[in-house]
Structure formats: C-alpha cells, structure tokens
Amino acid sequence: MRLWAPLLKKIINIEQRFYSKMTAKRIAVCQMTSVADKSKNLEVVTQLVSDAAKDNAQMIFFPEACDFICDNKKDTLASAEPILTGNTVKQYRDLAAKHNVWLSMGGVHEKDESNPNKMFNTHIIINNNGEIVQTYRKLHLFDVEIPEKNIRLKESDFCTPGKHIVTPVDSPVGKIGLAICYDMRFPELSTTLGTFNADILTYPSAFTYATGEAHWHVLLRARAIENQCYVIAAAQTGQHNTKRRSYGHALCISPWGEVLADCGESAPRYALAELGAGLSVRRDMPVWRHRRPDVYSLYALSLRKDLLAEHTDKITPTENRTPEPNNEEPMNVFGHVKVPESCVFYKSKLTYAFVNLRCVIPGHVLIAPIRLAERNKDLTDEEAEDFFKTIRFIQKLMEKVHKTESCTVTIQDGPDAGQTVRHLHCHILPRRKGDFIENDHIYLELAKHDHFTPKYPGKPARSLEEMRTEANMLREEIKKMADEER
C-alpha cells in the first residue's frame, strides 16, 4: 500500500489541476489614467477590451470614472450622461456585444435628470449581448475637508448617494456584489453581499495616492478574507490633472487573501486571473456557519434586485408600487391604492385582512375595514365591533402559523401618528424574543415601511406571486382552524 501512495497522490494532483482548469473562470482587471477628454478615455477602454478578449477573458473590470475625470464641478456635471440614452454607455454596450464579453464599468458619471446640480456615481454590469444587467449607485460618498492642509475632496458637492444595496448579480464568473471605491471602508456592505452569497466583491476605484499607499491593499485583502470572496478592484492610476493623482494597483484577491493580480502603477494595462478553486476556503473554514445572528444581525436593509426603471427600456414594477395583477382580478380599496383579491386571505362582513407588499418581519399582515374609513373615529359601531373582532382572530392565526406567543398590534391613527395611507388599518406582526436588537426598534422599521422616502427607504417590495402564495397558505390555515374548532 505504501508503494501505491506516491502514485495515488500524483493522480489526485493531476485530477485537481484538470478540474481546476475545467472550472476556472478568467477575468481581466483593468487600470487606466482617465482625463477630461471622453473620446480619449473611450479609445483606451476599447483597446483594453479588445486585447483582454483576445486573452480569453470572460469578464473585464474597469475602474471608477472610466468615462472621464475633470478638475472642476462645472465640467463634471456638464459631461455626465444618462445611462440609457448617453453615447458613452452605448459604446460600452457595443463593445461587450462585439467582443462577446461581460463588462463591469466604473462608476460612470450618470446625469441626474431631475437635478441639474447633481449626478450619480453608477456602476454598470453589461452582458455579452450588450444588455445592461444591473446598476448600482454609490452609497458612501467620499467627503474629506482638512482646511489646514488645503484639502477639500467632497463628492457630495456634485453627487447624490444611492438608496439601495443591490443583491449579487449572476455572471459567467460567479455572483458579483457591486460596490464602488470608498464603499470598501464600510464592512457592513460587503457582509450583506456575502450574506446573499456573493462569490466576488467588486470595488472599481479612483483611490487617492496618499490613502492608497496607506490602506488600499489592507482594506481589500480584509474584505476578501472576512467574506471569503474574491475581490476585484479595477483602479485609476497616475496624474489625471494638476489637482488629482491616483494610486493604481488594480487587484484581484482570492478568498484566502492572496493577491492573484496586481497592475502596479503603469497604465493602460490589465492583468488576468483565474477564479474558481479558491471558494473551497468556505468549506475548510466555515465562518458563515459560525456567525451569531442570535447576538448580532443586519436587521434593517434597503435591498434592490431589479434594475431601476430609468436604467431599462422594459417596464418593471418599482419598489414602492403594488404589483399589477391580472386585469380581470377584483380589487379592494385601500386608501389611494388597490389590493388584489388574490392577496386577501380573510373577509368578514365589514373587514378584510391581506398580506403585505413590504414586510417588516415575516408574517406582517394588515387588517382594514372594507369601507374606506380614514380614522378609527369614522367607523360605525357595527364596523368597530367587526374590525376589532377580526384583529383578535388574525392575531391568533398569525401566532399559530409562526409558532409565537406574542405580537405587535399597532394602529397609526392620523398623520401625526405616522399614518400615510388614508384608510384605517392595523398591523399584525408576530414577534420572537431577540428579533430586534432593542424591542422598540420595530417601530423605526414601521416608520420606514409606511413612509418609503430616501430617509426611510423601507423594505423591498415583494412579487405578486410571493404575496399570493402566502395568502393561499393563510386561507388553508384558517380552514384548518375552523375544522379543529368543530
């Protein structure tokens, strides 16, 4: 048996190398020195795409501001373009289709057509057919002002922050979590993307030279190690103008924290890396299984899966719109909106209960009088008796279904109490010990749920199919309860 051991080891090594080669996914991480001339930057991007495609890269990653870098706010705003109709993104889409590659572009400067004094810093994923698959608007804006050193770098002077974490995007090289540059300093974002099974975290960047020397490699390796993801960080490098110099060192890092590719400080250039085998670190060191959500959790997330309406030609439901049902389906009045009959799971003579578009916690349902009564005081005695009888019944139902012994039962009666739908309604929320860090945090989440503004972005909307499924389940549970009581 000992004689066979070396041979077996050799065969296993050959099989592992073969499997790794078969499953490897090749990416190119790019580095460039953008200037104020968009046509010159596009020439650089075009050449890098062409060359990397010839090297069999399946996906090519470009840095923040790959479209241009100006030295003043006025020119920056004037040069920004819309995502759908702008010429620069059109050229990127044509390049992806021509070379049959996927592209990760920037943050590009996206014109904010509702505010001429601001723009968005937007990361775009384009597939090999030239279609925009996903977009992410930078959440964290780089604002640094040190008067004694005559330093002022305030992205918020001309940029509007995004509102959502975008769930990871499926691509030929893995599930990609989208971020931009300064976002890397906020581990909550990367942890969220890791929680949603990202294989790769992307940080296209234009890092300043001083901060790059101090923190670039350290931060990116930390994000890779703690989330057990590949990190791909395309970078700007060199002197863009008299005011601005970037650090460079576009990187690809393995989930173990090993630097697989480093572009140094030269440009334009790209480096290739093979992805695939490194994710075994999740099996060998299962830190995700060792996390303690019973002690700490990310309980308030503003997530987005679908493309923003302004980034697609296709009609998609927006985050705060009730999904459109079949035109023939009956609808129920709920203030200024309509509730599809298929989302209603209980009706009495004067009251109905329905599933929620955005749930603060699982099992969050609503109860309202069938007649449009705005306030509690507007109910007739008969309606009030029926309404509160229904509340007690639905609370009993939800505690049974969700195996709890507590509920938050709340009515926001009037605008000063937080009511935004001008139709009396009661929230039923099944509660478990420790479901919020502080028990009363649930009311903060309810504020986000009701207001749905940039300040209170709320939970993401559910699909109509998901809501119908829950309503069907609850109707079946009501039948079971009725049978048990006979």
Side-chain angles (χ1 to χ4, degrees):
M1 188 67 184
R2 290 179 182 175
L3 294 173
W4 285 99
L7 180 59
L8 286 170
K9 186 176 181 180
K10 187 174 182 180
I11 292 171
I12 290 169
N13 287 338
I14 291 170
E15 287 179 342
Q16 286 178 338
R17 286 198 299 271
F18 176 77
Y19 178 76
S20 177
K21 187 174 181 180
M22 292 295 291
T23 58
K25 299 157 185 176
R26 177 172 282 198
I27 65 93
V29 58
C30 296
Q31 189 157 282
M32 59 190 292
T33 308
S34 291
V35 293
D37 188 329
K38 287 195 278 189
S39 61
K40 288 185 178 179
N41 300 325
L42 185 58
E43 287 176 11
V44 172
V45 169
T46 301
Q47 191 63 53
L48 287 170
V49 171
S50 176
D51 293 344
K54 290 174 185 174
D55 270 337
N56 298 315
Q58 294 168 273
M59 187 160 184
I60 306 169
F61 293 78
F62 282 88
E64 182 181 29
C66 53
D67 50 353
F68 63 86
I69 291 180
C70 298
D71 64 359
N72 63 79
K73 174 183 174 180
K74 180 182 177 182
D75 289 345
T76 297
L77 291 172
S79 299
E81 301 175 13
I83 295 295
L84 275 186
T85 57
N87 180 63
T88 301
V89 174
K90 179 184 182 302
Q91 296 294 325
Y92 296 157
R93 296 173 70 176
D94 290 345
L95 282 170
K98 177 181 178 181
H99 295 282
N100 192 32
V101 293
W102 281 57
L103 298 177
S104 162
M105 304 308 299
V108 302
H109 299 79
E110 178 194 354
K111 183 178 182 180
D112 183 350
E113 299 192 78
S114 66
N115 185 351
N117 296 314
K118 291 289 180 77
M119 43 151 274
F120 298 101
N121 189 343
T122 305
H123 187 165
I124 308 171
I125 300 294
I126 303 170
N127 69 16
N128 60 328
N129 295 317
E131 299 165 332
I132 295 175
V133 174
Q134 190 53 279
T135 58
Y136 160 79
R137 287 168 170 169
K138 189 176 182 181
L139 285 175
H140 304 100
L141 302 184
F142 184 59
D143 279 8
V144 174
E145 191 168 14
I146 311 173
E148 61 270 22
K149 293 186 179 180
N150 197 29
I151 294 175
R152 178 185 168 85
L153 294 168
K154 298 201 74 170
E155 197 171 6
S156 62
D157 282 348
F158 56 88
C159 199
T160 301
K163 299 176 184 176
H164 306 97
I165 296 171
V166 175
T167 55
V169 180
D170 287 316
S171 82
V173 297
K175 291 176 74 73
I176 301 174
L178 304 182
I180 300 173
C181 197
Y182 188 51
D183 285 333
M184 74 179 69
R185 293 185 182 272
F186 300 87
E188 298 90 345
L189 174 57
S190 61
T191 301
T192 301
L193 295 170
T195 300
F196 284 90
N197 300 313
D199 301 314
I200 301 163
L201 302 175
T202 50
Y203 295 99
S205 299
F207 236 60
T208 66
Y209 198 88
T211 54
E213 263 193 323
H215 301 149
W216 177 254
H217 287 79
V218 175
L219 285 170
L220 291 172
R221 291 187 67 205
R223 297 295 83 84
I225 293 166
E226 68 195 5
N227 294 292
Q228 299 180 315
C229 292
Y230 287 95
V231 164
I232 300 174
Q236 292 285 347
T237 190
Q239 201 75 40
H240 306 284
N241 49 55
T242 57
K243 297 180 179 179
R244 188 162 176 182
R245 181 189 179 194
S246 293
Y247 178 64
H249 291 276
L251 297 176
C252 178
I253 302 169
S254 79
W256 188 248
E258 177 189 3
V259 176
L260 303 178
D262 186 333
C263 288
E265 295 186 23
S266 60
R269 64 164 296 187
Y270 63 89
L272 298 169
E274 305 280 350
L275 314 185
L279 290 176
S280 62
V281 71
R282 294 182 182 176
R283 178 198 63 211
D284 300 336
M285 189 178 290
V287 297
W288 289 99
R289 291 211 309 266
H290 298 159
R291 290 181 183 272
R292 292 290 305 277
D294 58 319
V295 176
Y296 51 80
S297 65
L298 299 171
Y299 66 89
L301 300 175
S302 179
L303 295 170
R304 174 168 61 81
K305 181 179 180 181
D306 296 326
L307 268 172
L308 292 169
E310 58 265 42
H311 292 165
T312 178
D313 293 315
K314 301 171 186 177
I315 298 173
T316 57
T318 59
E319 292 292 318
N320 57 345
R321 184 187 303 155
T322 302
E324 292 293 334
N326 185 304
N327 288 336
E328 297 178 1
E329 181 175 351
M331 305 294 280
N332 297 269
V333 173
F334 181 52
H336 59 282
V337 296
K338 305 289 185 183
V339 176
E341 184 67 22
S342 57
C343 295
V344 175
F345 61 89
Y346 177 80
K347 270 189 179 179
S348 64
K349 180 182 176 183
L350 301 170
T351 308
Y352 72 111
F354 52 101
V355 297
N356 210 340
L357 178 64
R358 292 186 300 276
C359 295
V360 169
I361 54 177
H364 179 184
V365 297
L366 300 173
I367 299 161
I370 292 172
R371 182 176 68 86
L372 203 171
E374 183 176 342
R375 298 282 309 280
N376 193 15
K377 66 182 181 181
D378 298 325
L379 295 178
T380 65
D381 290 344
E382 185 183 11
E383 284 174 327
E385 181 180 354
D386 191 80
F387 181 60
F388 285 97
K389 184 178 179 181
T390 301
I391 289 171
R392 293 179 63 189
F393 174 69
I394 299 302
Q395 178 179 352
K396 180 181 177 181
L397 169 70
M398 300 315 291
E399 288 183 2
K400 178 179 182 292
V401 169
H402 289 272
K403 298 178 172 59
T404 67
E405 296 181 355
S406 302
C407 272
T408 291
V409 180
T410 182
I411 297 172
Q412 293 146 308
D413 193 23
D416 295 335
Q419 182 184 24
T420 55
V421 177
R422 298 178 65 176
H423 190 148
L424 177 68
H425 59 283
C426 178
H427 299 263
I428 304 288
L429 303 100
R431 300 297 303 277
R432 290 184 173 84
K433 184 177 181 179
D435 55 6
F436 283 83
I437 294 172
E438 295 289 343
N439 189 58
D440 285 352
H441 281 179
I442 194 166
Y443 299 109
L444 297 177
E445 288 303 298
L446 276 169
K448 295 179 184 180
H449 166 277
D450 280 348
H451 287 274
F452 209 92
T453 66
K455 185 177 180 182
Y456 301 111
K459 296 289 183 178
R462 300 195 294 168
S463 69
L464 183 59
E465 190 58 37
E466 186 179 0
M467 295 164 67
R468 283 171 169 167
T469 300
E470 184 185 14
N472 284 335
M473 180 272 291
L474 292 173
R475 283 192 286 270
E476 289 301 315
E477 289 295 328
I478 289 172
K479 289 179 184 177
K480 290 179 186 177
M481 287 174 63
D483 290 342
E484 290 169 1
E485 291 175 0
R486 284 176 187 158

